[in-house]
């Protein structure tokens, strides 16, 4: 079970709008200048897109447009196989407790770059990045969810960006590119980019009017602010 190798799409700077589930919001993200489109295939999420809709949304995407990112959480092979077949992603985002061995296996099976999400709350989480950074093609640094959370990810919360500076972070991350997520909004993304200097940013709930409902004005404002902070020319 393999998919054709797509573009690596891990070069910087990147602006990813995640949790897309409607054609009109996808068009808004593309027209605004997003570089990556994220699609969540995880049933507990309010942004979950099933196999049929993944295929439908993929059919409507322009050739040569932004990279398609498939987000799954501790998915087994049958779930991943079906989702990859439906969407035809350019990158795979693993947002659960996947180990370095699992990352390697996923990359080998689908011949696609793998983004590994990692929750950050304290210095111990920074140290834990080292084996992931040695294996993943790219890291997505998000806020660590509360212990009683039913879903992974930052859940709209930011973490202490000061953890992303200093020798400890540099040693843990090595040369692996990384993107920032967690609590980003149109009002905060420029400051986040300036202060942390990531290779990309990722937003989902920060551009929504309700869980799973994207706000077109917020998408446009977020991408505009991020592009300006990254100094991307139109």
């Amino acid at each position: 079970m393999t998919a054709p190798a797509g573009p690596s799409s891990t070069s910087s700077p990147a602006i990813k709008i995640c949790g897309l589930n409607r054609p009109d919001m996808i068009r808004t993200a593309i027209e605004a200048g997003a570089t990556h489109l994220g699609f969540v295939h995880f049933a507990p999420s309010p942004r979950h897109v099933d196999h049929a809709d993944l295929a439908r949304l993929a059919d409507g995407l322009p050739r040569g447009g932004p990279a398609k990112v498939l987000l799954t959480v501790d998915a087994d092979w049958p779930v991943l196989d079906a989702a990859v077949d439906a969407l035809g992603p350019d990158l795979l985002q693993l947002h659960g407790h996947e180990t370095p061995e699992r990352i390697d296996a996923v990359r080998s099976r689908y011949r696609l770059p793998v983004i590994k999400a990692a929750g950050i709350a304290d210095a111990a989480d920074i140290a834990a990045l080292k084996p992931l950074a040695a294996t993943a093609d790219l890291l997505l640094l998000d806020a660590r969810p509360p212990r009683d959370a039913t879903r992974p990810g930052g859940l709209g919360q930011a973490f202490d960006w000061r953890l992303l500076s200093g020798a400890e972070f540099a040693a843990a991350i090595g040369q692996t590119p990384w993107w920032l997520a967690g609590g980003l909004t149109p009002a905060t993304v420029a400051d986040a980019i300036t202060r942390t200097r990531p290779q990309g940013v990722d937003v989902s709930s920060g551009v929504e009017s309700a869980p799973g409902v994207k706000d077109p004005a917020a998408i446009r404002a977020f991408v505009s602010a991020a592009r300006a902070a990254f100094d991307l020319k139109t």
Side-chain angles (χ1 to χ4, degrees):
M1 177 67 191
T2 59
S8 66
S9 302
T10 57
S11 59
S12 60
I15 303 168
K16 175 170 170 265
I17 305 298
C18 198
L20 292 163
N21 53 21
R22 285 174 33 185
D24 56 340
M25 294 301 99
I26 292 172
R27 286 193 299 271
T28 297
I30 294 172
E31 291 167 0
T35 65
H36 293 69
L37 309 175
F39 301 90
V40 176
H41 186 68
F42 180 58
S45 171
R47 302 162 190 92
H48 171 67
V49 183
D50 64 22
H51 295 138
D53 283 339
L54 283 174
R56 178 178 58 84
L57 293 173
D59 284 344
L61 293 175
R63 291 186 179 275
K68 295 172 290 182
V69 182
L70 175 65
L71 185 159
T72 59
V73 179
D74 297 318
D76 60 19
W77 291 128
V79 170
L80 275 170
D81 287 347
V84 168
D85 276 351
L87 182 63
D90 299 301
L91 301 96
L92 300 174
Q93 180 173 327
L94 306 182
H95 219 94
H97 296 92
E98 297 87 358
T99 63
E101 293 76 18
R102 180 62 171 174
I103 295 169
D104 274 339
V106 169
R107 184 192 297 105
S108 177
R109 187 177 183 91
Y110 303 110
R111 296 184 288 125
L112 292 170
V114 176
I115 303 169
K116 179 66 185 86
I120 304 295
D122 53 37
D125 295 323
I126 297 299
L129 292 176
K130 193 166 188 177
L132 299 177
T135 312
D137 296 283
L138 188 150
L139 291 183
L140 176 68
L141 306 185
D142 204 346
R144 175 152 47 90
R147 291 183 181 275
D148 59 352
T150 58
R151 292 181 282 119
L155 307 180
Q157 301 300 310
F159 61 94
D160 186 353
W161 297 334
R162 291 174 296 182
L163 292 166
L164 307 182
S165 62
E168 293 82 2
F169 179 66
I173 207 79
Q175 298 300 310
T176 304
W178 61 278
W179 296 351
L180 181 66
L184 298 179
T185 69
T188 65
V189 65
D191 183 49
I193 291 169
T194 300
R195 290 174 58 186
T196 67
R197 300 191 179 280
Q199 285 78 49
V201 289
D202 184 308
V203 68
S204 185
S205 62
V207 291
E208 291 181 343
S209 57
V213 181
K214 292 291 186 281
D215 181 323
I219 290 175
R220 287 189 286 267
F222 183 92
V223 175
S224 176
R227 289 182 65 89
F230 280 132
D231 195 24
L232 287 176
K233 306 302 181 184
T234 56

